[in-house]
Amino acid sequence: MDTLQRFRARLGASVSGLFSHGEIPLQRTADYPGDAGLCGPGSVSWKAVGDVSVFVGAIRALLVQAAHPEAVAGVDDHSRYRDDPMGRLNRTAFYVTSATFGAMPEVEQAVDRVRAAHQGVSGTSHRGLAYDAAMPDLAAWVHNTLTESFLVSYREFGLGLTEAEADRFVVEQSQVGAMLGAAPLPQTAAELHTWVRTHPDLAPSPGMRAAVDFLRQPPLPARQRYGYGVLMHGAISTMPPELTGVLGLRARPGARLGASALLRFLRWGLRNSPSWRAALDRCGAPYDPSEFREMPRRDH
C-alpha cells in the first residue's frame, strides 16, 4: 500500500469510526440484484447524498429541526441523544442511507424502523401544544428540513445542481416522506425553501436551546472536534435569517470558505460513499472504482 492509500485509509477509518456504534446499512443489498430502490443510478439523490457535503447537511438539518418547538420537544422528552449521541447518529445515518441507496425491501425496513421508533413519542410542548411524531405536519417538518438541508449543502459545497436537478432531488426525496405519512411535501426546490423559511410554527423553546447547546459541543474525540466545528459553522452560513434569528446562531467570519476548503480535502481523501458504490453494484451500473471508497465490513 503506497503513502496515498495509507493516508486515505487512515482518514476513512477516522470518519467511519463515528459510525461504528450501530448496524452498517446495505450489508445484504447484493441479495436484491437489479432493484433500483426509490431513486436509482441516474438519480440526483445518489449523487447528492453520496457526496461528503452530506456531513454539513446532517448538521444543518439537526439545527434547523430544533427551531420547531413541538418537533424538538419530542426529541427532548423521548430521545436519548445526550446519553447515546453516537447511537442516534448511527440510527439516523442508517435510515438516510437505506432509504436513499437501498433496494425496496431495505427502504421499507428503514421506514418501518422509523415508524416503530416514533410510536409513543407524544406529549405537550412548553407552550401547551400537543405533539405526536406520527402527526403528518410534524413528520413533514423533520423530513422536509432534512431534504432541504441536504439540497442546500450539496448546492453550496458539492459539485452543483441545475434548478431542474434540484427539483428532481426534492421529488425523489418526497417519495420517502410519503412512505412516512408526512404532509405537505413540496415538489420543487423553490417551494421547499419557502416552506421551511416561512414556517409559521417556528419559535425559540427550552428544547431548542438544549439541542443547539449540545450540537455546538458534541462529545466528539479531540481529533474530530475541530473539523466538526468548521462544518457546523459552514452549515450555519447557509441558513436564512429567519432561521438563525430563531435559533440564536451566527456563523463565524469566513465560515463558508473554511467549510468549502475542508470539504474539498475530504472529497479528495474519502471520495464518494461506499453505499452509493454498493447500490451501483446491485444495479449492475458502470462506475470508476477509484472514485469510491469500499464498503466497511463488520464481523458477526
Side-chain angles (χ1 to χ4, degrees), residues 21 23 28 90 93 126 133 160 176 182 191 215 220:
H21 301 262
E23 185 178 355
R28 301 185 62 85
N90 275 258
H126 81 289
V176 186
E191 291 171 358
L215 289 166
L220 292 173

Side-chain angles (χ1 to χ4, degrees), residues 43-133:
S43 67
V44 181
S45 290
W46 284 17
K47 179 167 62 173
V49 180
D51 182 67
V52 295
S53 59
V54 76
F55 299 145
V56 172
I59 297 168
R60 186 185 189 276
L62 292 173
L63 288 167
V64 172
Q65 286 166 5
H68 191 303
E70 284 66 55
V72 78
V75 174
D76 199 48
D77 294 344
H78 297 273
S79 172
R80 295 177 54 239
Y81 76 88
R82 295 182 189 86
D83 301 325
D84 184 25
M86 295 298 103
R88 183 171 186 247
L89 173 66
N90 275 258
R91 289 187 291 274
T92 301
F94 184 95
Y95 160 71
V96 170
T97 301
S98 299
T100 301
F101 296 107
M104 281 311 301
E106 294 170 306
V107 175
E108 290 163 358
Q109 181 190 51
V111 170
D112 287 344
R113 286 189 181 191
V114 171
R115 284 183 178 144
H118 286 173
Q119 288 181 358
V121 177
S122 59
T124 304
S125 71
H126 81 289
R127 57 184 179 181
L129 298 180
Y131 67 81
D132 188 311

Side-chain angles (χ1 to χ4, degrees), residues 169-206:
F169 178 77
V170 173
V171 171
E172 289 164 6
Q173 291 295 308
S174 72
Q175 298 176 92
V176 186
M179 292 177 71
L180 286 168
L185 292 168
Q187 296 295 293
T188 69
E191 291 171 358
L192 178 62
H193 294 318
T194 299
W195 186 87
V196 172
R197 179 174 54 82
T198 63
H199 198 288
D201 291 338
L202 307 189
S205 68

Side-chain angles (χ1 to χ4, degrees), residues 137-197:
D137 58 327
L138 288 185
W141 176 251
V142 174
H143 170 80
N144 289 338
T145 52
L146 188 63
T147 298
E148 199 242 2
S149 289
F150 286 156
L151 176 59
V152 168
S153 297
Y154 189 73
R155 296 187 87 172
E156 293 289 341
F157 302 114
L159 305 182
L161 295 174
T162 65
E163 200 61 38
E165 288 173 325
D167 290 344
R168 278 176 52 204
F169 178 77
V170 173
V171 171
E172 289 164 6
Q173 291 295 308
S174 72
Q175 298 176 92
V176 186
M179 292 177 71
L180 286 168
L185 292 168
Q187 296 295 293
T188 69
E191 291 171 358
L192 178 62
H193 294 318
T194 299
W195 186 87
V196 172
R197 179 174 54 82

Side-chain angles (χ1 to χ4, degrees), residues 196-227:
V196 172
R197 179 174 54 82
T198 63
H199 198 288
D201 291 338
L202 307 189
S205 68
M208 181 205 80
R209 285 184 280 273
V212 169
D213 286 347
F214 182 86
L215 289 166
R216 277 188 171 126
Q217 293 187 319
L220 292 173
R223 65 183 181 277
Q224 292 154 348
R225 203 173 299 141
Y226 173 77

